[in-house]
Amino acid sequence: MPDWQELVRQRLAGLALEPCDKEEVLTELAGHLEEVYESMRRKGSSKQEAMRRALEQVTDWQELQRKIFFSRTKENTMTPRTTRFWLPSLVTLIVSMLMLPVLEWVGLRPQFLFLHGTHGSSQTYVFTVYTAWLMLLPLVGALGGYLSRRAGGTRHTIITSGTFPALAFGAVLFVVLPFKGFLEHGLEGGARSLFHTWTTEPFGALGVVAGWVLVPGASLLIGVLAYSGLARWRMKPAS
Amino acid sequence: MVGSGVKRGTAELAILSILGSGALHGYEIARRIEQQTQGKLRFTLASLYPVLYRMEQRGWVRGTWETSRNGRRRRCYRLTPTGKKRISPLRQEWSELFRALQQLTKVARA
């Protein structure tokens, strides 16, 4: 059987779309030609005849290239990356952040976890655990996954969009920690002490990473995976 | 000669109508339109996809990649709520146009 993907790639080589967008178009059109070819073969046509009938689907590849370019870009104000990754990621980040004050406002306050310091230290660390927030985060992860999937996101994009808030917190910590001395200098009193504990003490740093990156990340991931599983289950096989 | 605007309108109505019965991939859309119009309306790859992509850009249809039982990945199109709302006014416009043309031809014959 001919390599339809390669054939379409060669004929639409000048299609000036974003690489991922172009790849989608090539795969889709190649699939269509393959279906025509297979249909003709099933009806008893020879390979040459089936090939000829499939190629008759397009008489002017340059014209098709031009039409596809305009139909996919003219009215398009957002790139596929924006709709599949950045928008869902931004939504999950905003929703997850807004949930914190909203939950407190409705009376679901955080719990406090007390841990005693090691190495003979008499210090006690207090960690804030947003239980209700963590329990609702799977829904946010599922929302991110849904938005990304709806826009045609890949599995990787869906997972990244759904867990984006945790990744963003992680990135912020990664950026903040090297500048902790400078940042700490700008704080006063209790805030400076708290910041020092967070960034310097092993328990403090662990608490921040676990509380804002690892646990929320796991919670978001559960939501994304649950949504992906549900979406796959609901998906009807293509006819 | 039928202008490109009329052709495009017919194509859009045909696709919206066929997708009204459920999600379909491009080849199946073309096959069903041909089957249901007894071959009077035919879509080739070149005539189908530019229209489908434009309709997707307008938010009338939404394409998602799905894997069939035989493992083949295909982009399935389904109507969006905006697309569903477009069917009725489009049908109305087209039936009015055909009525007008019929009246015109009757007058010309008389």
Side-chain angles (χ1 to χ4, degrees):
Chain A
M1 193 163 65
D3 184 348
W4 295 110
Q5 184 87 12
E6 191 50 37
L7 185 142
V8 177
R9 189 185 303 282
Q10 282 172 7
R11 305 211 175 181
L12 295 180
L15 185 59
L17 295 174
E18 283 211 4
C20 63
D21 203 18
K22 184 175 175 179
E23 205 54 37
E24 273 196 353
V25 171
L26 300 183
T27 305
E28 187 170 22
L29 301 190
H32 187 108
L33 291 179
E34 195 176 328
E35 298 252 20
V36 175
Y37 177 85
E38 284 180 355
S39 160
M40 294 310 298
R41 290 287 289 151
R42 277 196 300 274
K43 286 176 186 166
S45 300
S46 66
K47 285 182 181 175
Q48 288 77 14
E49 174 63 8
M51 178 84 177
R52 189 184 65 77
R53 291 293 293 273
L55 290 176
E56 270 179 7
Q57 291 280 311
V58 187
T59 49
D60 186 345
W61 286 90
Q62 288 298 311
E63 177 67 7
L64 176 64
Q65 185 171 285
R66 192 187 65 79
K67 281 184 178 174
I68 289 176
F69 175 76
F70 281 111
S71 63
R72 287 188 78 108
T73 57
K74 206 175 179 182
E75 296 168 0
N76 192 4
T77 51
M78 285 190 278
T79 63
R81 184 176 292 184
T82 307
T83 55
R84 290 167 195 170
F85 174 68
W86 288 113
L87 263 180
S89 300
L90 196 66
V91 169
T92 51
L93 183 66
I94 290 171
V95 172
S96 61
M97 286 289 86
L98 283 178
M99 269 167 61
L100 281 169
V102 169
L103 287 174
E104 286 215 32
W105 182 67
V106 298
L108 294 167
R109 297 189 183 284
Q111 279 77 49
F112 296 100
L113 180 68
F114 297 91
L115 283 177
H116 296 289
T118 51
H119 310 298
S121 163
S122 60
Q123 194 163 2
T124 300
Y125 300 98
V126 184
F127 296 110
T128 318
V129 183
Y130 294 90
T131 316
W133 183 64
L134 290 172
M135 287 173 77
L136 286 172
L137 278 185
L139 294 177
V140 182
L143 173 70
Y146 164 73
L147 292 173
S148 178
R149 187 174 188 274
R150 196 180 71 158
T154 60
R155 187 177 164 78
H156 178 255
T157 318
I158 290 169
I159 291 175
T160 316
S161 300
T163 55
F164 187 77
L167 298 174
F169 297 147
V172 168
L173 287 179
F174 189 72
V175 171
V176 163
L177 289 179
F179 300 102
K180 60 187 180 190
F182 175 74
L183 290 169
E184 197 179 323
H185 185 72
L187 298 172
E188 286 181 5
R192 179 186 286 198
S193 166
L194 194 62
F195 188 82
H196 182 81
T197 308
W198 278 357
T199 54
T200 317
E201 300 289 333
F203 258 152
L206 183 68
V208 170
V209 173
W212 290 99
V213 182
L214 299 180
V215 181
S219 194
L220 290 161
L221 187 63
I222 287 169
V224 180
L225 295 178
Y227 166 72
S228 299
L230 185 70
R232 265 201 304 276
W233 178 69
R234 283 188 61 192
M235 191 183 78
K236 290 177 190 162
S239 51
Chain B
M1 189 182 163
V2 181
S4 63
V6 176
K7 274 191 205 165
R8 188 190 300 170
T10 328
E12 286 167 355
L13 180 58
I15 293 169
L16 286 176
S17 301
I18 216 79
L19 287 178
S21 58
L24 295 169
H25 54 88
Y27 175 77
E28 192 59 21
I29 292 172
R31 198 185 69 80
R32 289 211 189 173
I33 289 174
E34 186 174 342
Q35 194 182 45
Q36 289 182 21
T37 61
Q38 284 87 42
K40 290 186 182 75
L41 212 54
R42 282 186 184 175
F43 278 94
T44 60
L45 179 152
S47 59
L48 177 68
Y49 287 93
V51 182
L52 260 181
Y53 293 154
R54 191 167 42 246
M55 289 169 72
E56 193 176 21
Q57 290 291 326
R58 289 179 184 164
W60 298 359
V61 298
R62 176 166 55 87
T64 47
W65 285 99
E66 295 183 1
T67 310
S68 64
R69 281 195 185 122
N70 59 10
R72 179 180 284 170
R73 283 187 80 231
R74 291 190 285 208
R75 198 147 192 261
C76 281
Y77 293 88
R78 44 178 59 80
L79 288 182
T80 62
T82 317
K84 283 177 188 161
K85 282 181 198 156
R86 280 296 300 167
I87 296 180
S88 181
L90 259 178
R91 278 189 183 143
Q92 181 73 22
E93 283 170 31
W94 279 96
S95 57
E96 277 172 18
L97 176 69
F98 288 129
R99 263 202 303 275
L101 286 171
Q102 273 178 339
Q103 278 181 338
L104 202 64
T105 49
K106 275 178 195 165
V107 170
R109 277 185 205 152

